[in-house]
Amino acid sequence: MLLELRAENYAVIDRAVANFGLGLNLLTGETGAGKSILIDALALLLGGKASSDVVRHGADKAVVGCVFEMTPGAMAILEANGIDAEADHILLRREIAANGKGRVFVNNQPATVGVLRQLAPELALVHSQGETLGSFDQTQQRILLDRFGAISTDAVALAFAVWRATTDKLEELQSAEQDRLRMADLWRFQSKEIDQAGLATEDEDVQLEAEKRVLGNAEKLYAAAMGAHELLYESENSAEAALGAALKHLEELARYDARFQEPAQQLAAAKAAVEDVDAEVRDFADNVHAAPGRLEEIEDRLAALDRLKRKYGQTLAEVIAFGAEAARQLSEVENRDALLLELKAKEVQDAAAYQAAAKQLSASRTEAAKKLEKLAEAQINDLAMSTKFKIQVTMAEAASAWTSHGWDQVDCLIATNAGEPLKPLHEIASGGEMSRVMLALKVTVEEGTAGARKKKAPLPRTLVFDEIDIGIGGRAAEAVGKKLKTLSKGQQVLCITHLPQIAAFGDQHFLIEKTEKRGRTQTDVRRMEDAERTQEIARMLSGAKLTETSLKHAEHLLESSR
């Protein structure tokens, strides 16, 4: 949910901070106090279009910021955009300079407006007068319908991914055919050259370099090895002879005194170690002189390997991988016709699997749409509207319209006056009507999915309604208040209202005030306690002058809304 919203030097706001809570958060104030300014600030933080006109006169820049609770979806978006994500919260900040330039920060890291727009559907949906920010477009309408019907798109998404991978491979094979044929001779030569080199291991050059160093110093190494052999074993005063003589003496001592048994064993081990070392250096000396032409062979082989590395990779591992890829591409060209037939057959099979999954999904949506439209129409007509409402699910079966969420186009259609034809929801002229329709839809969906919440959590989103009460009053206003209260049980709701019947339902009530300080007009925001709420609702009932009757009426509204 939205935890905090702040603005500095924004329009007529000098500095304002609002800390929102669970449930229904209501914002009220006199006409012209700037209630919609906060909603506009939130819209900017969700990727809305910025203008230097919002910078407070005399200031260098306007700054708006907010804190939302983190959601798994928002976490994934941040990671995809290379932005460090905190475990619990996400911080959005936007600066608009007086010269028109702007900056965006997410978790105090530079970002773009595009990132804000990606995050918006995951964090909040703002229904403001005259427009719907967060875009209640066909995508959002489809998501709402799927949520109502507890419809999963997993099967379609999997079928689409398989079909898309096959078609991509097919397109790749069919494109640039002439280029591939011209490249075939080159791939054939490269593959053959690398294959004929007989690269047995990826570190052959490293091993040969080590052997080359040995052979390049053969005489010196032979002399060293034989010198060691002479001192260890061959000479009259060799280490082996000295240790053997000493061992005989210790063995004689051990026959009479047990304390010399262990020293005798140690000396025997030392004599054996000397013999092992001598055998190793003697073998080394023999091998150094055993292959006089080996050094030339190694140098020739290393030169050949270096030529391959200069052409195909910095290491033999890269050369081997290059050869394998050249062989694969050559195989595709040589076996293109067979591969094309195989891929075309698989594409037909994968397309059929997608179509089957998409048709099943369309059937589920059509069934859910019939239920939702009846329930939503009743909810809408409770809100001082006389409408006909329909949810139309249209299958776009052409492959160009296939997506990971199916091929359906979902349209909410409405007629707000008797005798008028049904029209798409976005063509409704009145922003107040749009907000009320959205409220009714959201309430219907939340009530319809209430039983499934234990299995599937509600969407992590803050809902904002601006000017939802235009053109209504009396019982209709109370009905709107009740629906907002119902909706707020599952999701956080922010609502700007002029009607006391709605304001009485709030869990948190914020007053937007316009004051004059040091000759400047500014808008302030503060949360009201119970006594202040009574006075504010009384003002909304009777105007600036409070009366005993309006105060009692306000108390009654607050009491009856609990």
Side-chain angles (χ1 to χ4, degrees), residues 66-88:
C66 65
V67 181
F68 278 96
E69 288 183 329
M70 182 62 77
T71 71
M75 179 83 74
I77 292 170
L78 296 187
E79 290 175 351
N81 285 277
I83 298 173
D84 293 336
E86 298 181 5
D88 299 325

Side-chain angles (χ1 to χ4, degrees), residues 318-390:
E318 293 179 4
V319 173
I320 293 171
F322 189 98
E325 177 62 15
R328 183 193 68 80
Q329 292 177 314
L330 180 62
S331 176
E332 281 192 359
V333 172
E334 293 175 341
N335 301 293
R336 175 183 177 276
D337 292 340
L339 190 57
L340 271 176
L341 289 174
E342 181 182 337
L343 282 174
K344 286 180 179 179
K346 188 174 188 305
E347 194 274 339
V348 171
Q349 179 181 344
D350 293 344
Y354 176 83
Q355 290 168 325
K359 286 179 180 177
Q360 185 173 352
L361 180 60
S362 297
S364 298
R365 283 175 174 157
T366 301
E367 183 181 354
K370 291 178 181 178
K371 295 178 182 178
L372 178 57
E373 65 187 20
K374 291 180 181 179
L375 295 171
E377 183 177 287
Q379 294 274 14
I380 293 169
N381 291 333
D382 281 345
L383 303 178
M385 297 178 70
S386 178
T387 66
K388 289 184 178 180
F389 183 76
K390 181 178 179 60

Side-chain angles (χ1 to χ4, degrees), residues 1-2 68-74 119-125 147 446 457-463 490-492:
M1 67 177 184
L2 176 64
F68 278 96
E69 288 183 329
M70 182 62 77
T71 71
L119 289 167
E122 189 66 32
L123 299 176
L125 191 60
R147 175 166 169 71
E446 288 306 308
L459 291 173
R461 177 178 294 170
T462 294
L463 301 176
Q491 295 173 269
Q492 184 191 41

Side-chain angles (χ1 to χ4, degrees), residues 28-30 511 534-544 546 550:
T28 64
E30 295 183 357
L511 178 64
T534 302
Q535 293 184 351
E536 171 62 9
I537 291 175
R539 180 200 64 76
M540 297 172 74
L541 286 164
S542 63
L546 301 182
S550 64

Side-chain angles (χ1 to χ4, degrees), residues 225-247 267 270-271 273-275 277-278 281-282:
M226 292 309 295
H229 170 62
E230 184 76 15
L231 293 172
L232 289 172
Y233 194 83
E234 193 64 31
S235 67
E236 293 182 1
N237 298 321
S238 67
E240 191 275 338
L243 288 171
L247 179 59
L267 204 57
K271 182 174 179 294
V274 167
E275 291 172 350
V277 173
D278 176 69
V281 297
R282 189 170 62 250

